[in-house]
Amino acid sequence: MLHAIITGGSSGIGLEVARKFVNRGCCVSLIARRRALLEKARSDLVEGYPERHDLIRIACADVTDRPALSTAVTEAEAAFGPCDILVVSAGRVDPAFFEMQSPEVFDAQISLNLVGAANAARAVYAGMKARGRGKIVFISSGAAAIGLPGYSAYCASKTALKGFAEALQAEAQPFGVRITIAYPPDTDTPQYEEEMLHRPAEAKTITGILKPWPASKVAEKIINAVDRGVTDVHFGFALSMLALFGAFIKPVLYRRALRTGDRREAKRHE
């Protein structure tokens, strides 16, 4: 039976990916920091289907704590067998202009979104490589395609994650391990609701008025891409064009953001 391990699996995209796998009858191990959310996630996944309870395992671990994460993965594999698919969904975003954000919050985003992702991959990669099979899915962001005002740490971490995933992809392919990286748009999750309370107007000017995607739709597109062996997953026309033609599109978007910033400064000095 297929075994999927999902970091950040207690909510948002990670939880919806877990739901898709459980619906297929796969064994799923959810790893996140807060036990209460993990317990709630498991209850949500088995609601109406009590027989699914034995397919779901939860473990508390912070992906930035490499020993704790390694232990969680080892115990999950002992219970359900080797990891066939790792989905790296744990992440955080704290919008703020660079000079207004504490170094601690800046560093925490880099640590969780990049180093935490590498820690998760490290926990399963050697085993996958030895078996000659396995899939690792990194959840990056559409923000990897463009630097957004107020998102210096987040954009840096997600762009770096893209580089890491592409390099690992080149290393892993000869050994039968497949790497996929997804670049979701704004997604309707609890984290998104909190993020929008702090998103600067300049960033809103760049991201436009597009509605956030439902997390279930994002999860479905990711899993379908993994099934087909797609390595890069883009979402919607606008983000796909930005990924392909960013050198031409970004200057236009930055000029719009600059005008928004100028208007904000003008109002502040009135």
Side-chain angles (χ1 to χ4, degrees), residues 8-11 30-42 58-62 91-92 190-191:
S10 61
S11 65
L30 305 179
I31 300 175
R33 291 179 299 162
R34 288 174 280 186
R35 179 162 292 279
L37 285 180
L38 283 167
E39 294 283 4
K40 184 178 183 299
R42 180 163 59 183
I58 62 175
C60 287
D62 187 328
R92 67 178 285 178
Q191 180 171 261

Side-chain angles (χ1 to χ4, degrees), residues 185-206:
D186 281 340
T187 304
D188 191 6
T189 66
Q191 180 171 261
Y192 171 76
E193 294 175 7
E194 176 65 23
E195 174 193 345
M196 289 305 293
L197 298 175
H198 307 283
R199 177 173 290 181
E202 291 88 340
K204 291 179 181 178
T205 298
I206 290 176

Side-chain angles (χ1 to χ4, degrees), residues 57-231:
R57 193 177 187 282
I58 62 175
C60 287
D62 187 328
V63 295
T64 64
D65 184 343
R66 190 167 60 249
L69 179 60
S70 179
T71 297
V73 169
T74 298
E75 291 176 351
E77 292 189 314
F80 287 155
C83 176
D84 298 292
I85 300 177
L86 170 70
V87 180
V88 182
S89 186
R92 67 178 285 178
V93 53
D94 300 270
F97 289 117
F98 175 67
E99 77 280 7
M100 298 177 182
Q101 188 164 76
S102 72
E104 291 76 17
V105 173
F106 186 98
D107 292 352
Q109 291 174 82
I110 302 293
S111 181
L112 181 57
N113 298 341
L114 175 60
V115 180
N119 288 342
R122 184 178 285 107
V124 302
Y125 181 64
M128 288 182 174
K129 186 176 174 183
R131 293 188 298 274
R133 66 181 188 280
K135 298 178 180 180
I136 300 176
V137 184
F138 294 103
I139 309 299
S140 180
S141 167
I146 186 169
L148 296 172
Y151 287 77
S152 56
Y154 185 73
C155 289
S157 66
K158 292 300 187 178
T159 303
L161 179 60
K162 174 181 183 291
F164 168 69
E166 289 178 347
L168 186 60
Q169 192 176 76
E171 295 179 19
Q173 187 171 355
F175 300 96
V177 181
R178 299 291 177 256
I179 309 296
T180 295
I181 183 163
Y183 304 94
D186 281 340
T187 304
D188 191 6
T189 66
Q191 180 171 261
Y192 171 76
E193 294 175 7
E194 176 65 23
E195 174 193 345
M196 289 305 293
L197 298 175
H198 307 283
R199 177 173 290 181
E202 291 88 340
K204 291 179 181 178
T205 298
I206 290 176
T207 57
I209 59 173
L210 297 175
K211 292 183 178 180
W213 281 43
S216 59
K217 186 176 178 182
V218 172
E220 181 178 7
K221 187 173 177 65
I222 290 171
I223 289 180
N224 287 341
V226 173
D227 286 343
R228 301 194 316 270
V230 174
T231 56

